[in-house]
Amino acid sequence: MAIESNNILTEDQADYFEELINIAYGRAAGLLNDFTGEEVKLHIPKVKFQVYSDFVKDVADNLGDETIVSKQTFNGQISGETMMVIDRTPAENMACLMDGTDSVTDQQILSAVYEIGNIITTTSTKTLSDLAKVPLVFNAPNT
């Protein structure tokens, strides 16, 4: 994963941050494997520092017509917000897998995205806070 830092981080800092994210996502994938009973592969997230308008454009350029967003905030010495943005079709596939059915309602899809987003966010940020020895408080996610 290449971190685009716009000179905000040194190369060593970017490498350290990248390794923390790799560890965190590995742990999140393990929990999702246990949760679903299926092998789950998470792509290493793309990390970059950018202004909000560029972020919105990047999201819009990479998604289909119907998407679902799950957001979760965390507070402490480090605070922020994570977002899981997913197209409807893979979200629907996740919901079917989690419910063990071939079709699901919109509410079941939202619930699945909420749960998966919560697992990824909590596991990832908890791992980062543990490794950095920084306490965090999590708020409930919302979709």
Side-chain angles (χ1 to χ4, degrees):
M1 163 183 53
I3 296 179
E4 297 177 31
S5 68
N6 298 330
N7 298 322
I8 292 172
L9 299 177
T10 67
E11 187 174 331
D12 286 343
Q13 289 170 327
D15 288 344
Y16 178 75
F17 192 64
E18 181 177 318
E19 188 56 34
L20 288 177
I21 292 172
N22 285 332
I23 292 167
Y25 261 57
R27 290 182 183 174
L31 281 176
L32 290 171
N33 289 341
D34 294 343
F35 184 69
T36 63
E38 299 285 333
E39 182 179 6
V40 175
K41 294 180 182 177
L42 295 176
H43 296 277
I44 301 302
K46 183 176 183 179
V47 177
K48 68 168 110 172
F49 296 88
Q50 64 187 148
V51 296
Y52 182 75
S53 60
D54 291 341
F55 166 74
V56 170
K57 183 180 180 325
D58 281 351
V59 170
D61 289 347
N62 289 294
L63 294 175
D65 293 332
E66 193 172 2
T67 60
I68 301 166
V69 178
S70 176
K71 301 186 299 180
Q72 186 170 5
T73 60
F74 55 92
N75 300 298
Q77 284 183 296
I78 301 171
S79 61
E81 180 176 51
T82 62
M83 295 171 55
M84 183 175 90
V85 183
I86 186 169
D87 285 326
R88 180 186 173 87
T89 299
E92 189 171 349
N93 293 339
M94 286 189 327
C96 288
L97 178 65
M98 291 170 67
D99 288 348
T101 62
D102 291 332
S103 65
V104 289
T105 65
D106 286 347
Q107 186 56 45
Q108 288 169 304
I109 295 169
L110 290 176
S111 180
V113 170
Y114 177 91
E115 289 299 323
I116 297 298
N118 188 36
I119 290 169
I120 292 171
T121 295
T122 304
T123 303
S124 297
T125 52
K126 174 82 171 103
T127 299
L128 293 174
S129 76
D130 288 350
L131 292 170
K133 296 179 177 38
V134 175
L136 294 178
V137 175
F138 298 95
N139 299 308
N142 61 65
T143 52

